[in-house]
């Protein structure tokens, strides 16, 4: 009989160990998560009256996840300073949050041409949407709305209120559309960024 | 084929914490929608049932498990193969009743409830109620009607997670069509 390891749930929640090392993070099978996600969509579809409401519900679920995920990530990174710059925060999402969630960095991080408060993060093959096929009647639904909610939660808890949405962009080279997360920062964030830039220059 | 521990097939893995956080977020949404904790428990079980119905197909396909000859074997398979395959936790089967129709599945670790603390006013919430639903749905698809509930929950102060699994009846194979149509 192997030595019984005391379950971490037996400890007070504050004393429970959190994996510090990237390699120690426990995993579950992708199928389990895919099933959970599909049940969530099924439940939300029942309660929602329209596609926008459905995406709203997913966004709200993702928001809660994002707030907590930022704390976990920051704890692991041992970062001692907050990131007031927009680009730093976005790079953190692109290169730290994405591998944490999906095992690879996001494929693209761009600034929109038209407006300077809009940024886009793209993923060519969103892990969440791999087992989802969208019927014609729901053609404008994007399963990436959950991820958009997660990003919104992370940005909000880091002090960057923004409007985040997910879109499909058809790719000429592949049959699968790319999921693009569009981030539109609030005016307060842009003002702060401008003040920071001015302080750096002056 | 000699019975014995078969190697558990390794499925593609994803970070467990995002799974835990998403489940927590779903429970929070349900509480906000329903407000009545009994309703939330029922809804979680129903969601679990829907998952279980589809999960058993994947389990049988990937583990190449043959037909279980008895409820006892089925319970062992659930604890030793299915739970580790999907959730990376293992369970022990204990406390068999005298006639072999009831048993307990004991888990020491529950990824659904990892960062969770249950406040006092939610004592009647069965937080991990998705899991009994999955087991019920899966077993029903292989013609065993069972009743599955949590009897010990670590979130409420117990020292392990214990699921009580009770066989209600073996159903006959249902044909999806009538012969005389």
């Amino acid at each position: 009989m192997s030595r019984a390891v005391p379950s971490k749930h037996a400890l007070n929640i504050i004393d429970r160990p959190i994996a510090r090392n990237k390699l120690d993070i426990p995993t579950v099978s992708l199928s389990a998560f895919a099933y959970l996600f599909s049940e969530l969509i099924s439940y939300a579809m029942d309660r929602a009256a329209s596609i926008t409401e459905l995406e709203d519900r997913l966004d709200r679920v993702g928001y809660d996840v994002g707030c907590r995920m930022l704390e976990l990530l920051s704890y692991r990174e041992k970062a001692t300073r907050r990131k007031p710059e927009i680009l730093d925060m976005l790079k953190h999402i692109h290169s730290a949050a994405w591998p944490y969630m999906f095992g690879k960095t996001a494929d693209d991080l761009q600034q929109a041409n038209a407006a300077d408060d809009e940024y886009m993060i793209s993923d060519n093959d969103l892990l969440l949407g791999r087992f989802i096929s969208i019927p014609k009647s729901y053609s404008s639904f994007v399963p990436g709305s959950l991820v958009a909610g997660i990003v919104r939660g992370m940005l909000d808890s880091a002090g960057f209120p923004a409007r985040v949405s997910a879109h499909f962009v058809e790719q000429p080279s592949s049959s699968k559309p790319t999921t693009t997360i569009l981030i539109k920062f609030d005016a307060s964030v842009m003002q702060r960024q401008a003040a920071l830039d001015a302080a750096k220059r002056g | 084929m000699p019975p014995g521990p078969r190697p558990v097939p390794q499925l593609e893995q994803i970070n467990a914490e995002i799974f835990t956080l998403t489940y927590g977020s779903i429970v929070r949404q349900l509480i906000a929608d329903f407000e009545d904790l009994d309703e939330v428990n029922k809804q979680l079980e129903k969601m679990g049932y829907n998952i279980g119905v589809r999960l058993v197909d994947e389990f049988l396909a990937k583990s190449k498990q043959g037909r279980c000859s008895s409820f006892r074997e089925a319970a062992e398979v659930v604890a030793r193969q299915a739970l580790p395959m999907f959730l990376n936790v293992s369970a022990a089967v204990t406390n068999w009743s005298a006639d072999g129709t009831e048993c307990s599945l004991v888990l020491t670790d529950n990824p659904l409830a990892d960062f969770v603390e249950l406040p006092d006013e939610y004592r009647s919430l069965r937080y991990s109620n998705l899991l009994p639903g999955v087991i019920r749905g899966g077993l029903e698809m292989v013609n065993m009607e069972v009743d599955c509930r949590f009897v010990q929950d670590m979130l409420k102060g117990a020292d392990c997670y214990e699921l009580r699994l009770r066989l209600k009846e073996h159903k006959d194979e249902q044909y999806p069509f009538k012969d005389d149509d």
Side-chain angles (χ1 to χ4, degrees), chain A residues 5 7-10 12-14 16 18-19 25-40 42-43 46-47 57 60-65 68-69 72 76 99-102 127-128 130-131 146 150, chain B residues 11-19 21-23 25-26 28-30 33-34 43 46-48 50-51 54-59 62 85-88 108-117 130 154-155 158-159 161:
Chain A
V5 177
S7 164
K8 55 184 186 186
H9 286 206
N12 191 332
I13 193 167
I14 309 203
R16 278 184 220 167
I18 303 186
I25 303 179
T27 61
V28 292
S29 66
L30 177 60
S31 327
F33 187 73
Y35 284 122
L36 187 68
F37 189 37
S38 75
E39 266 317 297
L40 167 62
S42 182
Y43 170 74
D46 272 341
R47 311 276 300 193
R57 275 180 171 267
R60 259 180 281 154
V61 169
Y63 182 82
D64 279 334
V65 178
R68 289 161 177 78
M69 202 182 301
L72 269 177
R76 291 218 173 93
Y100 170 75
M101 290 194 282
F102 306 125
L127 199 67
L128 295 185
R130 213 196 280 180
F131 301 115
L146 183 72
I150 295 181
Chain B
L11 297 180
E12 194 177 340
Q13 300 285 303
I14 188 176
N15 192 327
E17 290 169 351
I18 188 175
F19 178 71
L21 290 175
T22 307
Y23 182 68
S25 206
I26 293 178
R28 245 197 314 280
Q29 277 277 295
L30 285 176
D33 281 340
F34 285 113
Q43 186 70 28
K46 196 159 75 115
M47 286 170 78
N50 291 337
I51 292 182
R54 291 177 299 143
L55 185 139
V56 70
D57 272 339
E58 183 177 350
F59 172 66
K62 296 228 168 110
M85 187 160 139
F86 287 104
L87 291 179
N88 286 350
T108 42
D109 196 11
N110 182 1
L112 292 173
D114 244 344
F115 303 120
V116 179
E117 195 179 26
L130 197 84
M154 280 180 106
L155 292 172
D159 55 357
Y161 290 99

Side-chain angles (χ1 to χ4, degrees), chain B residues 1 6 9 58-67 81:
Chain B
M1 182 75 107
R6 291 152 147 264
E58 183 177 350
F59 172 66
L60 290 173
K62 296 228 168 110
S63 71
K64 303 196 187 8
Q65 176 73 29
R67 193 176 248 283
Q81 303 243 328

